[in-house]
Amino acid sequence: MVSGLSRARALMAALVLVLAGVGLAPSPAAAEEVYAFPTSVTSVSFSGHGWGHGIGMSQWGAEGAAAQGLGWPAILGFYYPGATAAATLGNPTVRVSLSAVGTSALLATAEAGVYVTVAGTAYLLPARTATGATITRFGLWPTSTAMVLRAESSGAWADFPLPGRTASVTSPATFSNPTRGVVFTTVSGSARGYRGTLTAYRTSSTTLSIVNTTSVDSYLRGVVPSEVPSSWHPAALAAQAVAARTYTARRLRNPGSTYDICDSTMCQVYSGVGVETTATSAAVTSTSGVILTSGGAPIDALYSSSNGGWTVAGGTSYLVAKPDPYDAVPGSRHSWQLTVSRSTLEGRYPTIGSLRTIRVLSRDGHGEWGGRVLTMALDGTLGSVTTSGASFAAAVGLYHHWFVPLSPGAGAAWPRDFTGDGRADVLGVTATGTLRVYPGTGAGGFAVPGAVSGFAGGFDAVVTAGPLTPDAVPDLIGRRADGTLWLLRGAGFTAVEAPVQIGHGWSGFTALLGPGDWDGDGPNDLIARSGDGRLWLYPGTGSGRLGNGRVIGTGWGGMLRILGTGDADGDGHVDLAAVTTGGTLLLYPGTGSGGFKAARAVGIGWQYFTALICMGDFTGDKRPDLIARRSDGALILFAGYADGSWHDPRQIGVGWNALNPILP
């Protein structure tokens, strides 16, 4: 139900599929998404949101809400709208099935005041055997007909007959310590204490069912710190205590069973006395007896670790789907990225053979990418499998079924194709702020230009970056004078969506460029030069956001221009080029893993150009070309050569001074 195993995706307004270089029109969020994986790809990365089922309260969201000043009643009111909080439960007993103890035996630490109760009679267990040896533990084991009581002394176990009985005892049998109120048992080789009593029920000749009977508040003292960090805000801890108490209240007196609730993530995590803290116990005490009700009965107070920013409907009036503004707390799995090996994917679905594509067939429509994956298909060389997003996430180890595959096929940055015809194009901003696309013909010339819709300007720098999001449509990055960085997501070819802020503090950078996938992990990246001449890599995540920057070079302050060239030298890795103050054009071959090989000069006299861009293969010969602008506005094409150099200049346009900038 709750943490870990089941802790619970978000709106892609339009999805564009690019097949064989042909751009299809944007589709609704419910349209099929296709992510292709060539045989060379050894793993698949996923970006996602949330951990757990996402129904009811987000535990990290409660902490986020508390940090914004909400008290526990307001937190619970947000996550369970319409429910009433009232002190109506009291402090009854609850029976907890202890899966952590195991099923082979129930062991109790021998100490003063420990009793075993069999057939209604309580027997005080001694500290020593009849021969005077110190007893360290007592234990109950199942037999073919009943159970057997044994005592451990000097590491050896021996049958321990009770007064007037044999060592064979009937089921159930209970360990207790009325004086201390805590019984210690053995869990994974260590002692663990539980308040109340521990009862063993024989379920077969080899297995027992272990149940801890205690008061609800004593139980919650071991639940709250097992579910959330005790360092959290008191309001978040109190909200957790009330939600957990309510969840428990709904399950009390489970008819036909020896227990009411379990101790694992299938119910609520419960770890006994050892995890109790002052802060979490105070949260339990301060809310003692308080539960949430609807129609006079306890609600089903489901909760999970993180909902990723959107709650999931639970089929009741108080479990609704809505945006959650509190969930994005540092340290949570509000957003995550995981990589799954190809062998794992194919091993989980062996009937597909070798994976070719992942298709997302439907989503729930809430939040980024169109929300949580409802249905999907995996296609391979032998066949296809259709499954639910939740089943797939569980099968391959994703935190939740709100995810998007990061298709390597969507990561290519060259050619800079903005019209969807498979040919390299050029973008530039006019004096009036209009962004225009000049479609390449694929033979070194231009077709009729047109405006890019949705571009409103207001940026002091705009760069092309290839697809930064899971679709195959190229995106732009813009920087404003205040240093904020913005994603202008492609909304179908020759259109961009409204800008979304993805960063701040970028005013100190003197150059920005989109090199493609510089570090070799699939998503496209951003490279920036700081004022001190350092070159920074900001890795793409595949979701439109950027990861933390790291320095990849120094001494770049003297470069007049820096540009991404695609794979200029034909070794399979994207490269960079730079023009020195003396006009030398240098090629910096990329290593494919975020570094450089030795730079080499590939031309001179390049200081006289007022703009320099690489748009990919502009001439149709499969090599990336350069376009340069002279001070008189003439546009010059330099053809790319197999050795990573550019030659054979020829003029392909005039009047290009009207565009400032021509996008790098």
Side-chain angles (χ1 to χ4, degrees):
M1 116 72 185
V2 214
S3 61
L5 179 68
S6 296
R7 310 278 197 232
R9 206 165 157 153
L11 177 62
M12 181 191 293
L15 173 74
V16 177
L17 304 180
V18 176
L19 300 174
V22 179
L24 303 181
S27 304
E32 180 176 298
E33 307 161 37
V34 179
Y35 304 91
F37 298 94
T39 56
S40 59
V41 173
T42 59
S43 62
V44 179
S45 293
F46 298 85
S47 281
H49 291 301
W51 188 18
H53 51 65
I55 304 173
M57 186 179 73
S58 161
Q59 292 168 305
W60 281 95
E63 172 67 359
Q68 295 188 34
L70 275 69
W72 67 262
I75 295 172
L76 296 173
F78 173 80
Y79 287 110
Y80 307 104
T84 301
T88 59
L89 182 63
N91 192 24
T93 58
V94 59
R95 302 168 299 165
V96 189
S97 174
L98 300 182
S99 61
V101 176
T103 61
S104 60
L106 172 59
L107 309 180
T109 301
E111 59 179 355
V114 174
Y115 286 78
V116 64
T117 300
V118 179
T121 300
Y123 300 87
L124 179 63
L125 296 173
R128 297 181 180 276
T129 66
T131 61
T134 300
I135 298 174
T136 53
R137 288 186 296 180
F138 290 93
L140 290 164
W141 278 265
T143 67
S144 59
T145 58
M147 296 187 294
V148 62
L149 177 66
R150 295 179 177 134
E152 182 187 41
S153 179
S154 300
W157 290 93
D159 289 0
F160 189 86
L162 293 171
R165 306 179 63 102
T166 66
S168 179
V169 297
T170 57
S171 175
T174 300
F175 288 120
S176 62
N177 190 331
T179 302
R180 186 167 183 172
V182 176
V183 177
F184 286 86
T185 186
T186 301
V187 176
S188 300
S190 300
R192 178 182 292 184
Y194 290 94
R195 298 184 184 278
T197 64
L198 297 179
T199 300
Y201 293 87
R202 178 187 174 278
T203 53
S204 77
S205 61
T206 58
T207 60
L208 300 176
S209 172
I210 314 302
V211 176
N212 173 210
T213 301
T214 188
S215 71
V216 166
D217 280 2
S218 292
Y219 162 66
L220 294 178
R221 289 169 69 177
V223 168
V224 177
S226 300
E227 285 285 350
V228 297
S230 60
S231 60
W232 276 9
H233 194 286
L237 298 180
Q240 177 65 61
V242 174
R245 183 182 292 110
T246 305
Y247 182 83
T248 305
R250 191 176 176 94
R251 288 153 180 82
L252 290 179
R253 305 283 76 82
N254 187 2
S257 176
T258 57
Y259 64 91
D260 304 308
I261 201 167
C262 65
D263 65 343
S264 72
T265 56
M266 297 301 294
C267 301
Q268 298 182 132
V269 182
Y270 169 56
S271 304
V273 174
V275 298
E276 295 178 6
T277 71
T278 300
T280 52
S281 293
V284 173
T285 301
S286 66
T287 62
S288 183
V290 177
I291 61 172
L292 301 169
T293 63
S294 179
I299 70 168
D300 199 9
L302 301 177
Y303 57 86
S304 61
S305 177
S306 167
N307 59 36
W310 201 291
T311 62
V312 175
T316 70
S317 61
Y318 51 81
L319 296 174
V320 299
K322 63 178 180 177
D324 182 354
Y326 308 116
D327 185 75
V329 180
S332 73
R333 289 199 170 97
H334 173 83
S335 295
W336 48 263
Q337 188 166 334
L338 287 175
T339 298
V340 181
S341 69
R342 187 187 195 101
S343 60
T344 296
L345 287 168
E346 293 170 349
R348 298 293 187 271
Y349 300 95
T351 59
I352 70 170
S354 179
L355 177 69
R356 284 181 171 173
T357 59
I358 294 176
R359 289 179 292 131
V360 176
L361 306 177
S362 63
R363 296 179 180 269
D364 69 4
H366 298 314
E368 191 177 11
W369 312 315
R372 293 169 170 87
V373 176
L374 300 179
T375 57
M376 59 182 293
L378 295 94
D379 306 318
T381 55
L382 300 180
S384 298
V385 170
T386 300
T387 184
S388 69
S391 294
F392 175 79
V396 304
L398 303 184
Y399 294 120
H400 188 48
H401 61 288
W402 186 354
F403 62 82
V404 63
L406 303 180
S407 170
W414 280 270
R416 306 287 205 192
D417 177 20
F418 297 94
T419 57
D421 60 2
R423 299 165 180 166
D425 309 314
V426 175
L427 291 177
V429 180
T430 69
T432 60
T434 300
L435 180 62
R436 294 180 68 80
V437 58
Y438 291 79
T441 62
F446 295 105
V448 178
V452 175
S453 62
F455 182 80
F459 302 100
D460 65 2
V462 182
V463 298
T464 60
L468 293 169
T469 52
D471 58 29
V473 182
D475 306 310
L476 305 178
I477 288 179
R479 182 186 65 188
R480 290 184 172 154
D482 61 0
T484 54
L485 202 69
W486 300 77
L487 171 69
L488 290 81
R489 183 173 181 175
F493 295 99
T494 70
V496 294
E497 296 180 0
V500 175
Q501 185 174 340
I502 59 172
H504 58 84
W506 288 75
S507 56
F509 290 104
T510 57
L512 302 175
L513 61 125
D517 177 19
W518 183 255
D519 56 10
D521 65 350
N524 287 323
D525 308 315
L526 183 70
I527 286 179
R529 180 181 63 186
S530 54
D532 58 5
R534 290 185 293 173
L535 208 63
W536 294 75
L537 171 68
Y538 287 85
T541 63
S543 63
R545 301 281 175 172
L546 300 173
N548 295 327
R550 61 182 176 89
V551 175
I552 59 172
T554 58
W556 288 72
M559 301 298 180
L560 295 178
R561 305 192 186 283
I562 308 172
L563 67 151
T565 64
D567 181 15
D569 58 7
D571 66 352
H573 308 312
V574 296
D575 309 314
L576 295 185
V579 179
T580 68
T581 53
T584 300
L585 181 64
L586 298 174
L587 178 70
Y588 289 81
T591 63
S593 58
F596 302 98
K597 300 176 185 176
R600 56 188 174 88
V602 293
I604 59 174
W606 291 77
Q607 72 272 34
Y608 301 111
F609 294 110
T610 60
L612 185 63
I613 63 171
C614 180
M615 76 306 295
D617 176 20
F618 195 66
T619 58
D621 62 359
K622 308 303 182 184
R623 301 188 184 104
D625 306 307
L626 293 186
I627 286 181
R629 182 181 62 187
R630 291 196 315 231
S631 58
D632 62 359
L635 208 63
I636 310 299
L637 172 67
F638 289 82
Y641 277 68
D643 63 355
S645 61
W646 293 272
H647 304 284
D648 304 329
R650 63 183 175 90
Q651 184 171 315
I652 58 172
V654 296
W656 283 74
N657 278 339
L659 296 179
N660 194 18
I662 301 176
L663 301 194

